[in-house]
Amino acid sequence: MKPVKVKQNYYKFSFQKYDIFWQTITNSLSKSFDKKTNSAIFFHCSRILSIDELLKSEPEKRLKYDVAFSFFYDLGKQLKDLESKDLSVPFFEKSDIIVLDVPDQRYRFLFINKDKLLKIDNDEIKIEIPYQNNGFFSPELEDVSVLPAKISCQSGIFSLASMCASLLNDKKITKEMIEKGFFWKTNTRGEDDHLSARVLLLDLINGTKLFFALERCLNIHTEDRYYFFI
């Protein structure tokens, strides 16, 4: 599923059929997109990195604000594009994602694991195989104990926000942090009971546009969870 280098600053994805998934790739490539044929998508890019390679290139081994913003903006937009076509992702892993280093642009992020897509039916996706928890599961996916099971199609956006929070902050959530609660952003204990403890990793970006976008997606209540930038 990973792209192949054709020549300097030029890559391609190969496939058997141009379907809904590949349409979202074309949409996500935006200005980097060059052309498509019946079996390939061609695009401009100086190099392609994994998430781990990107982290290693950062002095503090975590994503800077602007890079994390691109991460959540690009992948969230692609996920919503998929959902508009009744497809979703139960959870994200680093290996699902590639990073495009595009000349004269910011880093761009693409979800490329077509095998993980699940069909949406009445705002739910069906879990039919066991997944190993990688630390980025939604609460509802963590609660699955019997298969098959149906969970909210909003599981994926929680997982993406959870990964973004982790990439922004290399700290581990401790029992002490959880007991203190969200005192770095509010003086009212219990006010944020609807939020996942993952929000505790967002103290470095408190009050920013990305902070509020991630906070909305880290709601433990699926009906109140949504992807939106203000």
Side-chain angles (χ1 to χ4, degrees):
M1 192 71 71
K2 291 184 179 180
V4 175
K5 187 174 184 179
V6 178
K7 59 182 180 180
Q8 186 174 4
N9 297 338
Y10 200 55
Y11 289 79
K12 73 171 181 178
F13 283 107
S14 297
F15 46 79
Q16 293 184 341
K17 180 182 178 182
Y18 185 74
D19 56 16
I20 288 173
F21 173 76
W22 292 111
Q23 289 176 26
T24 69
I25 293 290
T26 301
N27 294 342
S28 297
L29 285 170
S30 186
K31 294 180 181 179
S32 299
F33 172 72
D34 180 43
K35 65 179 181 180
K36 77 173 184 69
T37 66
N38 292 332
S39 60
I41 292 171
F42 295 84
F43 63 97
H44 300 281
C45 175
S46 61
R47 59 176 177 154
I48 294 177
L49 305 169
S50 68
I51 293 292
D52 286 334
E53 287 171 334
L54 179 59
L55 288 172
K56 288 179 182 178
S57 70
E58 296 291 342
E60 297 182 0
K61 309 308 177 189
R62 60 182 178 83
L63 296 190
K64 297 174 184 176
Y65 177 86
D66 58 337
V67 179
F69 188 99
S70 294
F71 172 93
F72 194 60
Y73 182 87
D74 288 347
L75 295 168
K77 188 176 179 182
Q78 187 180 359
L79 181 61
K80 300 312 291 184
D81 194 7
L82 286 165
E83 287 179 358
S84 72
K85 299 169 176 62
D86 293 326
L87 294 170
S88 193
V89 181
F91 70 101
F92 285 85
E93 298 173 274
K94 290 180 183 178
S95 58
D96 296 332
I97 300 162
I98 59 171
V99 187
L100 310 185
D101 189 356
V102 182
D104 302 322
Q105 294 186 44
R106 57 187 172 83
Y107 283 120
R108 304 298 306 276
F109 296 84
L110 284 178
F111 169 77
I112 59 168
N113 190 354
K114 184 180 180 182
D115 294 336
K116 194 177 277 185
L117 294 178
L118 298 177
K119 185 73 175 176
I120 298 175
D121 184 18
N122 292 323
D123 295 326
E124 293 181 321
I125 52 176
K126 182 185 286 187
I127 308 300
E128 298 184 282
I129 60 174
Y131 297 116
Q132 184 175 354
N133 194 337
N134 63 349
F136 304 132
F137 274 23
S138 65
E140 57 271 24
L141 186 55
E142 285 184 336
D143 288 342
V144 171
S145 57
V146 178
L147 297 176
K150 290 185 177 181
I151 64 172
S152 169
C153 66
Q154 296 301 315
S155 177
I157 197 63
F158 181 101
S159 177
L160 186 63
S162 179
M163 185 187 292
C164 189
S166 178
L167 295 174
L168 272 163
N169 196 329
D170 59 359
K171 292 189 299 186
K172 301 293 183 183
I173 298 175
T174 65
K175 183 179 179 181
E176 182 181 5
M177 289 170 63
I178 294 173
E179 288 176 349
K180 285 183 177 180
F182 302 91
F183 273 67
W184 48 265
K185 82 179 196 69
T186 179
N187 292 319
T188 307
R189 183 178 293 277
E191 181 180 304
D192 296 303
D193 288 345
H194 61 290
L195 296 175
S196 163
R198 286 274 167 182
V199 177
L200 294 169
L201 296 176
L202 301 180
D203 56 324
L204 298 176
I205 64 164
N206 183 25
T208 64
K209 181 183 289 191
L210 179 59
F211 170 87
F212 291 112
L214 292 170
E215 184 185 52
R216 282 186 280 272
C217 295
L218 289 172
N219 197 312
I220 62 175
H221 303 303
T222 59
E223 66 274 14
D224 296 323
R225 186 186 304 160
Y226 55 99
Y227 172 84
F228 187 63
F229 280 93
I230 297 176

